[in-house]
Amino acid sequence: MSKRNEQTTGTARGNRMDAATEAFVAHRNLLFTLAYEILGSATDAEDVLQETWMLWVGVDLGTVLDQRAYLIRITTRQALKRLRTLDRRKETYVGPWLPEPLLTAPDVAEDVELADSVSMAMLLVLETLTPTERAVFVLREVFELDYDEIAEAVDKTPAAVRQIAHRARAHVAARRPRGTGSPAEHRAALQAFQRAVETGDLQSLLDILAPDVVALSDGGGVKHALLRPMVGADKVARLLAARWWKRDAERSTELVQINGGPGLLVRVDGEIDGVVAVRVENGYVTGAYHVRNPEKLSRMERETAVSR
């Protein structure tokens, strides 16, 4: 090959790489959000994006009619492969497994559907779906793909995807939060919860907790946490009043945006110790999710961009 031909080939390869990079960067936040909603793990979602990139750079872009749809298809397939591996890891996990929390920008809450889809409460509902149901639900309900596009992403027929989507939608509808109220009402409930926890006031906790409140904590076998869900306002209130606010450490809580909604960042002696997200229905806390596993707190130092 002549030097001129080598230069021409090199230039063409460079142009293809530039075009691939531009398209990937333009859709990166969307692809991360998709992978995260399927997996519930930001760390695994980032790995999926790396795998997606490696496959994407090998694609002949001249044959791609819709780059967004193509990238979504790659990401979905890689996420489903990883989800099955993640499910096996959960089988040996110590105590309850909670999604990896994200510190998100305040404007995420303005997109109500996006904020709901990445909330801790919704991600826990999605945990009850099969891998394919979860992918189909996210692609249809969050990213609004048509059934033909989803069929290509999950290797099913459009007719099968319709049935899966119907089943997943009904499953989620029966379990998703009801009467959540406005973001302002959610914040007010969390602030009341925060004040009650900080003071250890048992009655204030009973006033803000729903009678059937469920508390989950995730220490991953590394930090002290509940080994099973705790149910009932009296039990949860007494736990929080007696054990949360230990006096032998400098403990503080900060109101932040966690997964698109108000949450608490907990520090002990100035170091991040955990994150608390709550599920609020009709002004009462019906779910409290406390993540203490250090491996799941790496994204609490900076905001993570999510989009759809």
Side-chain angles (χ1 to χ4, degrees):
M1 181 183 294
S2 69
K3 189 170 184 180
R4 176 175 295 180
N5 287 339
E6 288 179 357
Q7 290 175 339
T8 300
T9 301
T11 300
R13 187 181 299 114
N15 289 339
R16 286 198 300 272
M17 183 64 73
D18 289 344
T21 301
E22 183 179 352
F24 186 82
V25 170
H27 295 99
R28 189 187 190 286
N29 292 344
L30 177 154
L31 299 176
F32 171 84
T33 306
L34 169 62
Y36 175 71
E37 291 191 20
I38 292 176
L39 297 167
S41 166
T43 302
D44 286 281
E46 290 289 1
D47 288 343
V48 164
L49 257 61
Q50 288 295 321
E51 294 163 2
T52 298
W53 165 250
M54 295 302 294
L55 292 170
W56 175 242
V57 294
V59 172
D60 179 359
L61 298 187
T63 66
V64 178
L65 299 178
D66 186 334
Q67 294 182 343
R68 177 180 183 271
Y70 200 102
L71 282 164
I72 285 176
R73 185 159 67 246
I74 297 175
T75 301
T76 300
R77 289 177 176 176
Q78 296 307 116
L80 281 173
K81 288 180 183 178
R82 186 163 290 263
L83 181 57
R84 295 182 177 97
T85 300
L86 186 57
D87 284 344
R88 289 195 292 272
R89 295 208 304 262
K90 292 174 188 174
E91 292 175 1
T92 58
Y93 198 77
V94 178
W97 184 94
L98 289 175
E100 184 178 350
L102 304 178
L103 185 67
T104 51
D107 60 0
V108 173
E110 296 174 7
D111 186 337
V112 177
E113 292 183 357
L114 175 62
D116 176 65
S117 71
V118 298
S119 70
M120 294 287 279
M122 178 55 76
L123 290 175
L124 284 172
V125 172
L126 295 182
E127 283 291 310
T128 64
L129 300 176
T130 67
T132 302
E133 286 175 343
R134 185 166 184 168
V136 169
F137 180 86
V138 170
L139 291 170
R140 180 64 181 172
E141 302 299 318
V142 181
F143 294 93
E144 301 178 338
L145 267 64
D146 62 39
Y147 292 113
D148 289 341
E149 290 178 294
I150 298 173
E152 290 187 18
V154 299
D155 292 323
K156 302 285 184 182
T157 66
V161 166
R162 284 181 181 274
Q163 293 181 337
I164 294 169
H166 176 75
R167 187 167 62 244
R169 198 159 41 239
H171 187 98
V172 171
R175 292 164 175 79
R176 74 189 312 162
R178 302 179 187 279
T180 54
S182 67
E185 290 170 330
H186 192 156
R187 179 175 289 271
L190 184 65
Q191 288 174 329
F193 176 81
Q194 179 185 21
R195 289 192 298 270
V197 166
E198 288 179 345
T199 60
D201 186 338
L202 181 62
Q203 187 56 53
S204 295
L205 283 165
L206 289 170
D207 289 342
I208 193 61
L209 297 176
D212 57 351
V213 62
V214 177
L216 297 170
S217 59
D218 179 344
V222 180
K223 290 289 190 75
H224 179 73
L226 296 172
L227 292 179
R228 59 187 60 85
M230 180 173 286
V231 182
D234 186 68
K235 289 182 180 180
V236 174
R238 292 184 185 281
L239 171 74
L240 294 174
R243 299 176 61 186
W244 179 295
W245 206 250
K246 293 183 179 180
R247 305 301 178 182
D248 59 353
E250 185 65 33
R251 188 177 297 255
S252 64
T253 59
E254 177 187 355
L255 194 63
V256 294
Q257 288 288 314
I258 299 295
N259 288 60
L264 298 177
L265 183 63
V266 182
R267 295 182 186 273
V268 173
D269 295 329
E271 299 294 327
I272 294 176
D273 182 74
V275 168
V276 178
V278 295
R279 170 172 168 167
V280 176
E281 299 178 66
N282 299 316
Y284 293 95
V285 173
T286 59
Y289 315 116
H290 186 194
V291 180
R292 295 195 70 209
N293 185 347
E295 293 183 358
K296 294 185 177 182
L297 299 175
S298 62
R299 289 180 173 266
M300 290 301 103
E301 297 287 2
R302 66 187 189 284
E303 292 179 354
T304 297
V306 294
S307 68
R308 62 191 181 105

PDB file of all heavy atoms in Angstrom, residues 34 55 61 67 90 120 145 163 184 194 204 243 248 265 269-270 297 305 308:
ATOM      1  N   LEU A  34     -30.614   3.817  31.049  1.00  0.00           N
ATOM      2  CA  LEU A  34     -31.234   2.564  30.625  1.00  0.00           C
ATOM      3  C   LEU A  34     -30.590   1.374  31.333  1.00  0.00           C
ATOM      4  O   LEU A  34     -31.283   0.528  31.914  1.00  0.00           O
ATOM      5  CB  LEU A  34     -31.102   2.412  29.110  1.00  0.00           C
ATOM      6  CG  LEU A  34     -31.453   1.048  28.511  1.00  0.00           C
ATOM      7  CD1 LEU A  34     -32.908   0.710  28.771  1.00  0.00           C
ATOM      8  CD2 LEU A  34     -31.148   1.038  27.017  1.00  0.00           C
ATOM      9  N   LEU A  55     -18.440  -2.628  21.237  1.00  0.00           N
ATOM     10  CA  LEU A  55     -19.220  -3.181  20.126  1.00  0.00           C
ATOM     11  C   LEU A  55     -19.578  -2.095  19.107  1.00  0.00           C
ATOM     12  O   LEU A  55     -19.569  -2.338  17.902  1.00  0.00           O
ATOM     13  CB  LEU A  55     -20.497  -3.827  20.667  1.00  0.00           C
ATOM     14  CG  LEU A  55     -20.295  -5.090  21.513  1.00  0.00           C
ATOM     15  CD1 LEU A  55     -21.603  -5.489  22.194  1.00  0.00           C
ATOM     16  CD2 LEU A  55     -19.775  -6.234  20.649  1.00  0.00           C
ATOM     17  N   LEU A  61     -21.151   2.426  10.453  1.00  0.00           N
ATOM     18  CA  LEU A  61     -22.188   3.431  10.686  1.00  0.00           C
ATOM     19  C   LEU A  61     -23.011   3.728   9.435  1.00  0.00           C
ATOM     20  O   LEU A  61     -24.144   4.212   9.535  1.00  0.00           O
ATOM     21  CB  LEU A  61     -21.558   4.726  11.213  1.00  0.00           C
ATOM     22  CG  LEU A  61     -20.827   4.631  12.557  1.00  0.00           C
ATOM     23  CD1 LEU A  61     -20.412   6.015  13.034  1.00  0.00           C
ATOM     24  CD2 LEU A  61     -21.674   3.942  13.603  1.00  0.00           C
ATOM     25  N   GLN A  67     -29.187   5.765  14.963  1.00  0.00           N
ATOM     26  CA  GLN A  67     -28.088   5.498  15.881  1.00  0.00           C
ATOM     27  C   GLN A  67     -28.578   5.315  17.318  1.00  0.00           C
ATOM     28  O   GLN A  67     -28.088   4.452  18.049  1.00  0.00           O
ATOM     29  CB  GLN A  67     -27.052   6.627  15.804  1.00  0.00           C
ATOM     30  CG  GLN A  67     -26.346   6.702  14.458  1.00  0.00           C
ATOM     31  CD  GLN A  67     -25.289   7.791  14.419  1.00  0.00           C
ATOM     32  OE1 GLN A  67     -25.259   8.697  15.244  1.00  0.00           O
ATOM     33  NE2 GLN A  67     -24.405   7.708  13.432  1.00  0.00           N
ATOM     34  N   LYS A  90     -26.522 -11.720  43.889  1.00  0.00           N
ATOM     35  CA  LYS A  90     -27.500 -11.384  44.929  1.00  0.00           C
ATOM     36  C   LYS A  90     -27.884 -12.585  45.770  1.00  0.00           C
ATOM     37  O   LYS A  90     -28.273 -12.448  46.930  1.00  0.00           O
ATOM     38  CB  LYS A  90     -28.758 -10.783  44.282  1.00  0.00           C
ATOM     39  CG  LYS A  90     -28.548  -9.424  43.645  1.00  0.00           C
ATOM     40  CD  LYS A  90     -29.808  -8.975  42.916  1.00  0.00           C
ATOM     41  CE  LYS A  90     -29.582  -7.718  42.106  1.00  0.00           C
ATOM     42  NZ  LYS A  90     -30.768  -7.365  41.287  1.00  0.00           N
ATOM     43  N   MET A 120     -35.677   4.878  44.228  1.00  0.00           N
ATOM     44  CA  MET A 120     -35.364   3.628  44.911  1.00  0.00           C
ATOM     45  C   MET A 120     -36.592   2.739  45.009  1.00  0.00           C
ATOM     46  O   MET A 120     -36.520   1.520  44.848  1.00  0.00           O
ATOM     47  CB  MET A 120     -34.810   3.935  46.312  1.00  0.00           C
ATOM     48  CG  MET A 120     -33.487   4.650  46.323  1.00  0.00           C
ATOM     49  SD  MET A 120     -32.105   3.583  45.860  1.00  0.00           S
ATOM     50  CE  MET A 120     -31.799   2.755  47.418  1.00  0.00           C
ATOM     51  N   LEU A 145     -40.158   3.238  23.466  1.00  0.00           N
ATOM     52  CA  LEU A 145     -39.846   2.573  22.204  1.00  0.00           C
ATOM     53  C   LEU A 145     -41.076   1.807  21.720  1.00  0.00           C
ATOM     54  O   LEU A 145     -41.905   1.370  22.524  1.00  0.00           O
ATOM     55  CB  LEU A 145     -38.680   1.603  22.383  1.00  0.00           C
ATOM     56  CG  LEU A 145     -37.276   2.165  22.087  1.00  0.00           C
ATOM     57  CD1 LEU A 145     -36.915   3.266  23.058  1.00  0.00           C
ATOM     58  CD2 LEU A 145     -36.248   1.039  22.136  1.00  0.00           C
ATOM     59  N   GLN A 163     -47.268  -8.946  24.970  1.00  0.00           N
ATOM     60  CA  GLN A 163     -47.737  -9.727  26.104  1.00  0.00           C
ATOM     61  C   GLN A 163     -46.863  -9.495  27.333  1.00  0.00           C
ATOM     62  O   GLN A 163     -47.358  -9.344  28.452  1.00  0.00           O
ATOM     63  CB  GLN A 163     -47.762 -11.214  25.746  1.00  0.00           C
ATOM     64  CG  GLN A 163     -48.797 -11.583  24.693  1.00  0.00           C
ATOM     65  CD  GLN A 163     -48.804 -13.068  24.384  1.00  0.00           C
ATOM     66  OE1 GLN A 163     -47.814 -13.762  24.602  1.00  0.00           O
ATOM     67  NE2 GLN A 163     -49.925 -13.556  23.879  1.00  0.00           N
ATOM     68  N   ALA A 184     -42.792  18.780  46.543  1.00  0.00           N
ATOM     69  CA  ALA A 184     -42.776  19.609  47.760  1.00  0.00           C
ATOM     70  C   ALA A 184     -43.314  18.825  48.954  1.00  0.00           C
ATOM     71  O   ALA A 184     -42.771  18.915  50.069  1.00  0.00           O
ATOM     72  CB  ALA A 184     -43.599  20.870  47.541  1.00  0.00           C
ATOM     73  N   GLN A 194     -36.472  13.590  58.963  1.00  0.00           N
ATOM     74  CA  GLN A 194     -35.110  13.971  59.334  1.00  0.00           C
ATOM     75  C   GLN A 194     -35.072  14.564  60.740  1.00  0.00           C
ATOM     76  O   GLN A 194     -34.231  14.195  61.564  1.00  0.00           O
ATOM     77  CB  GLN A 194     -34.554  14.983  58.331  1.00  0.00           C
ATOM     78  CG  GLN A 194     -33.144  15.471  58.636  1.00  0.00           C
ATOM     79  CD  GLN A 194     -32.689  16.569  57.679  1.00  0.00           C
ATOM     80  OE1 GLN A 194     -33.514  17.240  57.051  1.00  0.00           O
ATOM     81  NE2 GLN A 194     -31.388  16.757  57.559  1.00  0.00           N
ATOM     82  N   SER A 204     -42.623  11.759  67.364  1.00  0.00           N
ATOM     83  CA  SER A 204     -42.510  12.412  66.058  1.00  0.00           C
ATOM     84  C   SER A 204     -42.303  11.386  64.947  1.00  0.00           C
ATOM     85  O   SER A 204     -42.813  11.542  63.836  1.00  0.00           O
ATOM     86  CB  SER A 204     -41.359  13.416  66.065  1.00  0.00           C
ATOM     87  OG  SER A 204     -41.624  14.476  66.963  1.00  0.00           O
ATOM     88  N   ARG A 243     -31.316   3.405  68.071  1.00  0.00           N
ATOM     89  CA  ARG A 243     -30.049   2.936  67.523  1.00  0.00           C
ATOM     90  C   ARG A 243     -29.438   3.846  66.459  1.00  0.00           C
ATOM     91  O   ARG A 243     -28.246   3.778  66.207  1.00  0.00           O
ATOM     92  CB  ARG A 243     -30.245   1.543  66.927  1.00  0.00           C
ATOM     93  CG  ARG A 243     -30.686   0.513  67.952  1.00  0.00           C
ATOM     94  CD  ARG A 243     -30.957  -0.822  67.312  1.00  0.00           C
ATOM     95  NE  ARG A 243     -29.753  -1.350  66.674  1.00  0.00           N
ATOM     96  CZ  ARG A 243     -29.748  -2.454  65.940  1.00  0.00           C
ATOM     97  NH1 ARG A 243     -30.856  -3.135  65.752  1.00  0.00           N
ATOM     98  NH2 ARG A 243     -28.633  -2.873  65.379  1.00  0.00           N
ATOM     99  N   ASP A 248     -22.015   8.414  70.530  1.00  0.00           N
ATOM    100  CA  ASP A 248     -20.567   8.255  70.607  1.00  0.00           C
ATOM    101  C   ASP A 248     -19.865   8.669  69.322  1.00  0.00           C
ATOM    102  O   ASP A 248     -18.683   8.433  69.145  1.00  0.00           O
ATOM    103  CB  ASP A 248     -20.208   6.809  70.952  1.00  0.00           C
ATOM    104  CG  ASP A 248     -20.748   5.810  69.927  1.00  0.00           C
ATOM    105  OD1 ASP A 248     -21.499   6.242  69.042  1.00  0.00           O
ATOM    106  OD2 ASP A 248     -20.410   4.618  70.030  1.00  0.00           O
ATOM    107  N   LEU A 265     -28.237  12.277  53.133  1.00  0.00           N
ATOM    108  CA  LEU A 265     -26.854  11.823  53.122  1.00  0.00           C
ATOM    109  C   LEU A 265     -26.370  11.844  54.568  1.00  0.00           C
ATOM    110  O   LEU A 265     -26.409  12.884  55.229  1.00  0.00           O
ATOM    111  CB  LEU A 265     -26.003  12.751  52.249  1.00  0.00           C
ATOM    112  CG  LEU A 265     -24.531  12.370  52.073  1.00  0.00           C
ATOM    113  CD1 LEU A 265     -24.400  11.030  51.371  1.00  0.00           C
ATOM    114  CD2 LEU A 265     -23.792  13.458  51.285  1.00  0.00           C
ATOM    115  N   ASP A 269     -18.603  11.471  61.800  1.00  0.00           N
ATOM    116  CA  ASP A 269     -17.278  12.082  61.950  1.00  0.00           C
ATOM    117  C   ASP A 269     -16.781  12.672  60.634  1.00  0.00           C
ATOM    118  O   ASP A 269     -15.597  12.586  60.283  1.00  0.00           O
ATOM    119  CB  ASP A 269     -16.268  11.067  62.488  1.00  0.00           C
ATOM    120  CG  ASP A 269     -16.607  10.598  63.902  1.00  0.00           C
ATOM    121  OD1 ASP A 269     -17.192  11.402  64.656  1.00  0.00           O
ATOM    122  OD2 ASP A 269     -16.324   9.443  64.241  1.00  0.00           O
ATOM    123  N   GLY A 270     -17.721  13.256  59.867  1.00  0.00           N
ATOM    124  CA  GLY A 270     -17.396  13.944  58.626  1.00  0.00           C
ATOM    125  C   GLY A 270     -17.294  13.057  57.409  1.00  0.00           C
ATOM    126  O   GLY A 270     -17.206  13.565  56.287  1.00  0.00           O
ATOM    127  N   LEU A 297     -21.536   3.479  47.694  1.00  0.00           N
ATOM    128  CA  LEU A 297     -21.605   4.899  48.040  1.00  0.00           C
ATOM    129  C   LEU A 297     -20.617   5.765  47.257  1.00  0.00           C
ATOM    130  O   LEU A 297     -20.452   6.947  47.559  1.00  0.00           O
ATOM    131  CB  LEU A 297     -21.350   5.079  49.546  1.00  0.00           C
ATOM    132  CG  LEU A 297     -22.355   4.375  50.472  1.00  0.00           C
ATOM    133  CD1 LEU A 297     -21.915   4.524  51.929  1.00  0.00           C
ATOM    134  CD2 LEU A 297     -23.750   4.933  50.283  1.00  0.00           C
ATOM    135  N   ALA A 305     -25.497  12.227  35.975  1.00  0.00           N
ATOM    136  CA  ALA A 305     -26.489  12.699  34.998  1.00  0.00           C
ATOM    137  C   ALA A 305     -27.330  11.534  34.512  1.00  0.00           C
ATOM    138  O   ALA A 305     -26.804  10.498  34.110  1.00  0.00           O
ATOM    139  CB  ALA A 305     -25.792  13.366  33.821  1.00  0.00           C
ATOM    140  N   ARG A 308     -33.518  10.588  29.436  1.00  0.00           N
ATOM    141  CA  ARG A 308     -34.244   9.603  28.639  1.00  0.00           C
ATOM    142  C   ARG A 308     -34.582  10.197  27.290  1.00  0.00           C
ATOM    143  O   ARG A 308     -34.367  11.356  27.058  1.00  0.00           O
ATOM    144  CB  ARG A 308     -35.507   9.134  29.343  1.00  0.00           C
ATOM    145  CG  ARG A 308     -36.542  10.218  29.600  1.00  0.00           C
ATOM    146  CD  ARG A 308     -37.628   9.713  30.522  1.00  0.00           C
ATOM    147  NE  ARG A 308     -38.633  10.734  30.753  1.00  0.00           N
ATOM    148  CZ  ARG A 308     -39.842  10.748  30.213  1.00  0.00           C
ATOM    149  NH1 ARG A 308     -40.198   9.778  29.401  1.00  0.00           N
ATOM    150  NH2 ARG A 308     -40.710  11.700  30.458  1.00  0.00           N
TER     151      ARG A 308
END
